[in-house]
Amino acid sequence: SLYDFLSAHGLHPASAHQIMTAELATPEEARWLNLSYPASARCMKRTTFLSSGKPIGYVQSVYSGRDFYFTLSLKSAAEFSGEIRQTAA
């Protein structure tokens, strides 16, 4: 994974800021997602940071509103391992 590659090179992601929104897909996004325009989409933007605060990664994704599945598991700060990963459903 990208995070394994970064860690192997001494770059350890420490935090991330992610924003998720519901929007209308652009005509091009609707075509990519095989949707009839206009169509709903779920948009995600995430910036990942090193412990120094330096940004190390940026991801912007668009998902079909009809196929989007989101899960979230929460831990207390004492239990959080600091590992950041994205998984596909």
Side-chain angles (χ1 to χ4, degrees), residues 25-37 39 41 43 60-64 66-67:
T26 66
E28 185 176 29
E29 290 166 343
R31 190 172 58 254
W32 289 340
L33 296 169
N34 197 28
L35 302 172
S36 298
Y37 182 80
C43 301
Q60 184 172 337
S61 303
V62 178
Y63 305 89
S64 164
R66 70 171 183 233
D67 298 327

Side-chain angles (χ1 to χ4, degrees), residues 4 8 12 22 24 31-32 36 38-39 41 44 56 58-59 62 64 66-67 74 77 87:
D4 292 338
H12 304 286
L24 285 178
R31 190 172 58 254
W32 289 340
S36 298
M44 185 273 296
I56 194 166
Y58 178 77
V59 175
V62 178
S64 164
R66 70 171 183 233
D67 298 327
L74 303 173
T87 58

Side-chain angles (χ1 to χ4, degrees), residues 1 5 14 32 35-36 39 41 50 54 58-59 66 68 75 79-82 84 89:
S1 78
F5 174 84
W32 289 340
L35 302 172
S36 298
L50 297 173
K54 180 178 180 179
Y58 178 77
V59 175
R66 70 171 183 233
F68 185 78
K75 294 182 177 183
E79 294 181 56
F80 183 65
S81 68
I84 301 169

Side-chain angles (χ1 to χ4, degrees), residues 2-17 46-59 84:
L2 172 62
Y3 295 111
D4 292 338
F5 174 84
L6 293 172
S7 291
H9 289 84
L11 301 170
H12 304 286
S15 65
H17 178 76
R46 180 178 59 232
T47 304
T48 304
F49 301 91
L50 297 173
S51 59
S52 67
K54 180 178 180 179
I56 194 166
Y58 178 77
V59 175
I84 301 169

